[in-house]
Amino acid sequence: MADLEEIRALAERGQFEDALERVWELEDEVDQIEALVDVALTIRRRGGPEGWIPGILEDAEYIAEHSKNPYVRAIGYGMVAFAFHALGYYKEASETFNTAIDEAGKIENPLLRGTAIATIAYYVATTGDAKTAIGLFDVAFDVIARAEVEYRAKVDGLLKIAELMEKAGDELFAKSAVGFYRTAFDIFDKLHVNQRAGVTEKKLQLAEIMSETGLPEVRRALLEGRYRYALALIRKKFKGASRLIGELEAALWMKRVNEPTYVDVVENTLREAGNVELSPASAQRVAMLLTQLGSLREALTFAEMIDDPGRKSSALRGIAMALAEREEYEKARKVAETIPLPEVRAETLRDIETMSLG
């Protein structure tokens, strides 16, 4: 009897025909659809026989269409839609996602209906359509939260939504991932699943830091403590200002998790910074990161490069407040007095004075 992992392994080795034959040994219809989708995507990724792909997806769609179980139909269509999008068939993907949602609406059991909608939302998220995915997750949450079922079953359903939202965040660029992680953390936290809440909160904090270079593989490496690999990925994937900012973002995460070599990363990055042309927005971001890293003199150098009064004021205020937190009040006042926007300058000087009085 075949299983999904065995079929995936065969496909990865290029044994596509053997993998497809094993699909029909699977008893579960959802597993069959998932296996067919995996083989189709592996063929594309590994340069296999492209001509097989349409037929494989037709088989997957046939299983979904002819299943007597609306849950299987909903999940199955969601998987097929995900595959269509990944393979560049965007019109077919959109139509099939709509079919999946329609099928989910036919599921009588509210817990299964909510889980199906959340699963479809996960597949939508992996296409990059975060807005639609968040909307579907909200629907799934409402369906399960309003279900008239025993408390434990409802909690299990809500936890499944949180798990899928966290999983969606793992697949997305940092800026898009933040919303998914934040909601997942809230669910885990409110339901007192402390270990999962802690893991998700850590992912959320990292995604918030890595706003410029937060590719999933970069964040995964940082979470796993593979800092050299993460930095190598940043240097490979990004150039110019983005690369400079990405290295500082990685250094800030390393500082947050008490990895002392962050100091070396900052020093190496700054040595190369002179060759990088920065926009006002990039200079502000660099100044902010250096402020959070504690490199205030260097942060001031970048802040002074900013022409835009609003961005410059924000950067200088951050530096001044950081100096005040170190109880270096005279230096803080001197920086604050150079803030170009009068209202920001006045507010910062007031805040420094308040801090100096204890």
Side-chain angles (χ1 to χ4, degrees), residues 160-321:
K160 180 64 176 177
I161 290 176
E163 289 167 4
L164 286 165
M165 294 195 83
E166 179 187 356
K167 188 179 176 184
D170 293 344
E171 301 291 331
L172 297 171
F173 193 83
K175 285 183 179 178
S176 297
V178 166
F180 293 93
Y181 286 145
R182 186 172 289 128
T183 303
F185 167 73
D186 286 343
I187 294 172
F188 287 133
D189 188 49
K190 286 182 172 61
L191 295 177
H192 306 294
V193 186
N194 297 332
Q195 185 174 0
R196 290 301 299 270
V199 170
T200 310
E201 185 177 28
K202 195 172 182 180
K203 290 180 178 181
L204 170 60
Q205 291 168 347
L206 176 57
E208 289 174 333
I209 287 173
M210 302 296 296
S211 63
E212 185 81 17
T213 56
L215 292 168
E217 58 265 40
V218 172
R219 302 199 321 270
R220 190 157 45 246
L222 288 169
L223 282 169
E224 293 170 357
R226 295 182 293 136
Y227 304 120
R228 287 186 180 180
Y229 180 67
L231 288 162
L233 278 176
I234 291 169
R235 291 172 188 137
K236 179 181 178 181
K237 301 281 187 180
F238 300 93
K239 302 297 179 187
S242 292
R243 173 176 160 175
L244 169 63
I245 291 168
E247 291 177 1
L248 292 175
E249 288 175 341
L252 180 56
W253 176 252
M254 292 166 69
K255 181 185 179 186
R256 293 275 178 90
V257 296
N258 300 314
E259 169 54 50
T261 57
Y262 84 88
V263 175
D264 300 328
V265 176
V266 174
E267 289 177 356
N268 292 336
T269 301
L270 289 174
R271 273 198 291 269
E272 301 173 5
N275 301 320
V276 179
E277 186 174 339
L278 298 175
S279 68
S282 295
Q284 181 188 7
R285 177 69 175 152
V286 170
M288 187 197 78
L289 288 165
L290 288 169
T291 300
Q292 292 177 306
L293 284 159
S295 301
L296 301 185
R297 185 176 61 184
E298 293 81 0
L300 187 58
T301 298
F302 282 93
E304 289 170 346
M305 295 166 50
I306 304 171
D307 293 329
D308 179 88
R311 293 185 182 280
K312 187 168 189 172
S313 296
S314 177
L316 289 172
R317 172 175 166 78
I319 296 165
M321 296 308 297

Side-chain angles (χ1 to χ4, degrees), residues 111-180:
L111 294 179
L112 286 178
R113 185 164 69 250
T115 301
I117 294 169
T119 304
I120 295 164
Y122 163 73
Y123 285 118
V124 171
T126 62
T127 71
D129 187 355
K131 183 178 179 180
T132 299
I134 288 287
L136 287 171
F137 274 120
D138 286 344
V139 171
F141 184 90
D142 286 343
V143 168
I144 291 178
R146 296 172 186 272
E148 296 181 358
V149 296
E150 62 153 351
Y151 177 75
R152 186 66 249 175
K154 184 176 291 192
V155 166
D156 288 344
L158 294 174
L159 290 176
K160 180 64 176 177
I161 290 176
E163 289 167 4
L164 286 165
M165 294 195 83
E166 179 187 356
K167 188 179 176 184
D170 293 344
E171 301 291 331
L172 297 171
F173 193 83
K175 285 183 179 178
S176 297
V178 166
F180 293 93

